[in-house]
Amino acid sequence: MLAGPLTPGLAALRQAVREAAAAPGRRLALRAAPAVLAALEGLDGALAEAAEALGQPLALRPEPGLGWGDWQLEETGDGR
């Protein structure tokens, strides 16, 4: 059982870093429940560290219909 929305959020960040390492230059967006994105935004340094590892900021796309563990990474051409 998940402890809260931060757990899947951190899993998504780790996956984004892995995907960026495998294909440098890809612009990624994280589509997730608003609570997951808020948890990441509330964890000091989490998004900044991910952006440093990715080489660019990770776009955040709130999707109210998703459950906490149902996040999705998607490629975006515009970085948003």
Side-chain angles (χ1 to χ4, degrees):
M1 187 157 135
L2 298 175
L6 184 58
T7 301
L10 292 174
L13 290 185
R14 287 190 298 271
Q15 182 64 33
V17 169
R18 284 192 295 271
E19 288 191 21
R26 285 180 64 201
R27 293 181 177 263
L28 296 174
L30 172 59
R31 185 175 302 279
V36 171
L37 300 181
L40 289 174
E41 290 172 325
L43 182 60
D44 191 39
L47 292 173
E49 286 182 31
E52 185 177 333
L54 294 168
Q56 59 200 341
L58 178 66
L60 302 178
R61 297 182 174 167
E63 185 66 48
L66 291 178
W68 288 354
D70 297 328
W71 53 268
Q72 303 162 1
L73 286 172
E74 52 194 34
E75 192 165 357
T76 176
D78 61 7
R80 291 187 229 161

